[in-house]
Amino acid sequence: MSKDETLSTTSTTSVNDENNKSTYKEQNADFETAISATGFGIFNLILVVVSTPSILASQLETSSLSFVFPVARCDLDISLEARGLLNAIVYTGMIISCFMWGSFIDVFGRRKILVFTHLIGAFFVLMTTFAPNFYVLLVSKFLGGFTVNGYSMALTTYLSEFHGTQYRASVPVVIGLMFSISNVCLPLLAWLFLPLNINFGLIDGFEFHAWNLFLLVSTFPTVIAGVSFFLMPESPKYLMSKGNNAEALKVYQKIFKLNKRQSKEKFPFKSLIDDKQIFQKKHSVKEAWQQISPLFSLKYAASLTIVCLLQFFLMMSINSLRLWLPEIFQIINDYEQDNNKSISFCQMLSRIQPTTDAEADTCSMNFDNSSVYINSVYVGLCAIIGCAIVALIINKLGKKKILIALGLLGAVTAVSIYFAPNSSTALGLICVYLMCIGISLDTVISATVDLFPTSLRGSALSLAFMFGRIGSVLGNLILPILIQAGCAPTFFTLAGFVIGCTILSVFIPNTERKALG
């Protein structure tokens, strides 16, 4: 080949490359193509950092009183049944607000709901901190549950819509991992403040104790999360569905710049396809129903039923035990400090009995209870290890296999707790049981995100979460009854719930590597 021919060939190739590059930039990208082009990097890590205080705030709202009760029983002067009601009332607020927040998330956007619910939620935590009596405490926890449901649902949708199919299945598992980290931070935070000797009077005879300080500190993550999300962009998928392609493109370019460390002008797409969906403010019940009615069509009804039932039984299985763990650990702590002989876990558990306030003339508390917080940390650490392992293998095994395997392991573990010869064995089994159920919940959420399109995703998640909250309410109301009936009914019932979830998991549709609708 002559020199001239070589130059001619090189010139032609260069022209063709430039033409291909130009054509590539002129293509209209859909969501999956655009989000995949942004890669995975610094922005995604920022999302995790910003989401962490939100998840901690959610855990504090739903679980803080479970640590307060063992050390504030004398101050609050409420019965075991009343404590169960306070645990349940948070989820009652969540149930009532489910459809409202689901609709608002789809109408007003993910980011606005995240900012609003976090900031107003901080006010209700303050209301709980300074509640002068049981009834104000009950109202404040109800309102706290009402708002926490908003940012809990919005967060899952928000994070999922910043990831492509390659990473989306891992998003709820990572959220579960952050929840597990929060479950470690929560007892450590409680351990830092609750044993303090704080007791002084405020206005109108209100006494401020260490547990009030603990609740006051609980407002910090909520405020931090609200401010953080104010500084974050809206979901590009949501912007596209609103027809705001220009704004969505700017978001993609910002993500690309952070992740790829290149100028945003190098983002390979200059326009997006028209993905506008119906997102308008609803002014009547009829119009709102028209927006969510496709959920109940033949196309989605079976999937919706399965995920709702899974949420119901999984949340009942995990929260009926999780919120009573500090109380259970306190009973174990008190027994082992007062007695030298060893007895089985179920014999210790029988010491928990529903009581009325009038049964004792005096009230005393054992503040030498570090084992309560240490055991709670073990539970959280176990969940972290489990979430980390599942996050690595979920794309290889698939959601259905993960759900079935964890369901079988969880059921066997629940039954085994009944036969635990001592508190240490029971603690290990409880850790594994809660880990299995927690990861299963995250996996179901991941499948729910994939099963429904953008216009219905928030409503589908809200409905599924509503069933989960109903399960949590029922679980907290029936657990004292089950414990009173005996150890076998308690853990055999929990095992039965988990077996039912395992059977349901067989029928969940396959969503592996499915593009986000």
Side-chain angles (χ1 to χ4, degrees), residues 120-140:
I120 195 172
F123 172 77
F124 294 134
V125 177
L126 284 175
M127 184 176 172
T128 301
T129 302
F130 297 100
N133 55 56
F134 170 76
Y135 298 103
V136 176
L137 188 61
L138 197 67
V139 171
S140 65

Side-chain angles (χ1 to χ4, degrees), residues 201-216:
L202 292 177
I203 301 174
D204 295 331
F206 177 82
E207 292 188 356
F208 193 89
H209 304 279
W211 58 269
N212 296 104
L213 178 61
F214 168 62
L215 292 175
L216 180 62

Side-chain angles (χ1 to χ4, degrees), residues 96-169:
I96 293 176
S97 66
C98 264
F99 260 113
M100 184 194 78
W101 290 126
S103 179
F104 283 1
I105 290 168
D106 289 339
V107 172
F108 297 108
R110 290 67 165 122
R111 175 177 163 273
K112 288 181 181 178
I113 296 301
L114 283 168
V115 174
F116 174 76
T117 51
H118 277 107
L119 295 181
I120 195 172
F123 172 77
F124 294 134
V125 177
L126 284 175
M127 184 176 172
T128 301
T129 302
F130 297 100
N133 55 56
F134 170 76
Y135 298 103
V136 176
L137 188 61
L138 197 67
V139 171
S140 65
K141 294 306 293 182
F142 171 81
L143 294 174
F146 193 92
T147 54
V148 74
N149 202 37
Y151 58 79
S152 295
M153 291 191 302
L155 182 64
T156 302
T157 305
Y158 183 78
L159 293 182
S160 297
E161 292 179 349
F162 276 105
H163 294 82
T165 55
Q166 183 179 359
Y167 303 104
R168 192 177 303 122

Side-chain angles (χ1 to χ4, degrees), residues 235-494:
S235 153
K237 177 62 176 175
Y238 174 77
L239 293 172
M240 289 177 68
S241 64
K242 286 273 290 184
N244 296 336
N245 282 7
E247 191 174 346
L249 185 60
K250 291 180 181 178
V251 175
Y252 288 127
Q253 290 172 340
K254 289 178 182 178
I255 300 172
F256 176 83
K257 181 179 179 180
L258 283 172
N259 287 350
K260 300 290 188 178
R261 298 185 180 181
Q262 300 179 29
S263 66
K264 55 187 180 182
E265 286 75 18
K266 291 185 178 181
F267 183 66
F269 302 103
K270 296 302 180 184
S271 59
L272 305 171
I273 66 169
D274 185 10
D275 190 28
K276 188 173 182 179
Q277 299 177 24
I278 299 175
F279 281 97
Q280 298 175 350
K281 295 182 180 180
K282 303 302 177 182
H283 302 287
S284 69
V285 174
K286 180 180 178 180
E287 290 175 320
W289 169 251
Q290 288 175 347
Q291 178 174 315
I292 65 171
S293 59
L295 277 176
F296 306 99
S297 65
L298 291 177
K299 183 178 180 180
Y300 298 114
S303 298
L304 184 66
T305 301
I306 292 172
V307 297
C308 285
L309 289 175
L310 282 170
Q311 279 279 339
F312 177 84
F313 287 111
L314 288 173
M315 289 286 278
M316 178 181 284
S317 302
I318 193 171
N319 284 327
S320 58
L321 180 61
R322 182 180 67 86
L323 293 179
W324 286 92
L325 279 184
E327 191 83 33
I328 293 172
F329 291 153
Q330 184 72 49
I331 291 294
I332 294 173
N333 175 80
D334 293 347
Y335 177 85
E336 292 180 341
Q337 287 186 1
D338 295 340
N339 300 274
N340 293 324
K341 62 178 182 179
S342 177
I343 60 175
S344 71
F345 171 72
C346 281
Q347 287 176 303
M348 293 184 193
L349 195 63
S350 65
R351 293 163 62 91
I352 299 181
Q353 295 294 334
T355 59
T356 60
D357 301 331
E359 286 183 4
D361 294 329
T362 60
C363 182
S364 61
M365 282 304 308
N366 177 14
F367 288 95
D368 183 15
N369 59 351
S370 59
S371 65
V372 174
Y373 309 110
I374 294 172
N375 290 342
S376 299
V377 169
Y378 288 151
V379 172
L381 289 175
C382 182
I384 290 174
I385 295 171
C387 284
I389 294 173
V390 172
L392 296 175
I393 64 175
I394 188 170
N395 282 326
K396 294 180 180 179
L397 294 182
K399 303 179 187 71
K400 183 177 293 189
K401 291 181 181 178
I402 292 288
L403 283 171
I404 294 172
L406 290 175
L408 292 174
L409 179 59
V412 171
T413 306
V415 173
S416 301
I417 294 173
Y418 170 72
F419 299 100
N422 51 56
S423 60
S424 298
T425 303
L427 174 62
L429 292 170
I430 288 172
C431 286
V432 175
Y433 170 80
L434 292 177
M435 177 197 71
C436 291
I437 307 305
I439 298 174
S440 296
L441 271 169
D442 300 327
T443 307
V444 171
I445 293 170
S446 175
T448 306
V449 169
D450 290 339
L451 285 169
F452 300 94
T454 308
S455 59
L456 299 174
R457 190 170 299 125
S459 297
L461 282 170
S462 68
L463 186 61
F465 286 152
M466 183 182 75
F467 273 83
R469 309 314 182 196
I470 294 173
S472 296
V473 170
L474 293 178
N476 276 280
L477 293 178
I478 68 173
L479 189 69
I481 300 174
L482 290 174
I483 291 176
Q484 193 175 12
C487 197
T490 301
F491 294 104
F492 284 22
T493 300
L494 292 177

